[in-house]
Amino acid sequence: MSGTGPGRRTVLRAGASLASASALTALAAACGRPIAAGDPNSIKVVIAQYTEGTQPYWRKLAAKFEAQHPGKEIKLQIIDWGNLQTQINTMVQTGQLPDIANLNLFADYADADLLHPAEDVLTPEVRADFLPAFAANASFRGRQYALPFLATVNGMYYNKAILREAGFDGAPRTRAEFLDAVEAIKALPGGYVPYGLALGIESGHYEFGTWARAGGGGWIEDGRWAIDSERNVETLGFLQDLGRRGYTQPNPGQTNRPDGTWPLFAQGKAAMVYGAFGARAFLDLIEEGDVDYGLAVHPVSHGAEPVAHGIQDYLMAFKKSGNRELVRDFLSFFYRPENYVPYLKTEGLLPTTRSAVAVLKDDPQVGRYVGMTGRARFDPTTRPVWAELLGVMGNDLGQAVSENEAPRKVLREFQSIAVSGG
């Protein structure tokens, strides 16, 4: 998650996709290296810059912790998302490991035996507080290594006024209803974009993956990679056809959300768009444009279960001798509701703990979104090859739509990479 402007948490995940190759190089260099030396009185904490409020929050939290733990030091390093993974990889490659780091991928590091298991750096009370789906998505080969940190639940925003003008009381629930809706919207005199489709490098795999699940497919079926399944091929062809028929903005394969589909929706020009529920980066734009919007999951086909797309960022504790006790104390301090909830409000994101959900469920700003975390389904970030896949999909997925590549050919390429990587 990175930002393209002050206070904006917008370019989600681009940094991870582009840094995949350097990640593999760094991890290869780290394998077999002795465990780094830690400091029982000082830890380095690397955190991503989400908004303008990130740094003030963490500096205040570190000072508060140090005041309550005399003789202990928290060394903070706040890094923007565009450079985060590259800098962490450099730390790994040079043996200058952080004690705690914030990232959106962790399985590569767990596979290289660089991380403490969660039970070594969290109290049983903190571990039991995580929402089960998020804890499972933070596990590698049956053992939890990453710590659920921040969440978003993504789905479809729709413009109520445009849908009403087209003769619909709400968002379409099935793919057949969706096609009826976009055809009716295209025929309206306002020149609206029926659906803002963003399959560009920034996070096109999020949008495709969401449509794939809604179409009865997905990345994995019965524990096996199924990227080139018939349902997924059908879904990519469906998205390709939307662009050809003029139901999207021009060139959806090269369009990103922050500077493409989100502004279109915020300006009242797009009827429906994929976005993160409750994320201030998008809501600020919508509220500035005074759009009367509704929320929905993506329209389904083939009897698929309506689900939202869950995304989480992680904390992870790097394996260094002598650092576990201070790491555990600081993490326990951070996850207390009185410390964690203010951070969620600072970043405009959703909780990963039961205690924070209990505090926020009636919140006037985010309460309506918190309950949707239980419906979240995740990408297979727990598989090490996912980082490599992101780098390939970032380029090729959009080309499949923009350059009219055969959907089966493109998805078969992704499947081959996934299977070869395990």
Side-chain angles (χ1 to χ4, degrees), residues 28 93 123 138 144 147 210 217 226 255 270 302 315 342 352 385 392-393 409:
Q93 198 166 20
T123 65
Q144 186 179 345
L147 320 177
T210 301
T255 302
H302 298 295
L315 292 177
T352 62
V385 74
V392 178
M393 286 193 291
K409 175 185 175 183

Side-chain angles (χ1 to χ4, degrees), residues 159 263 265-268 282-292:
N159 185 307
F265 188 85
Q267 294 161 12
F282 190 20
L283 290 180
D284 287 348
L285 294 175
I286 296 174
E287 290 169 4
E288 289 170 10
D290 196 25
V291 175
D292 184 15

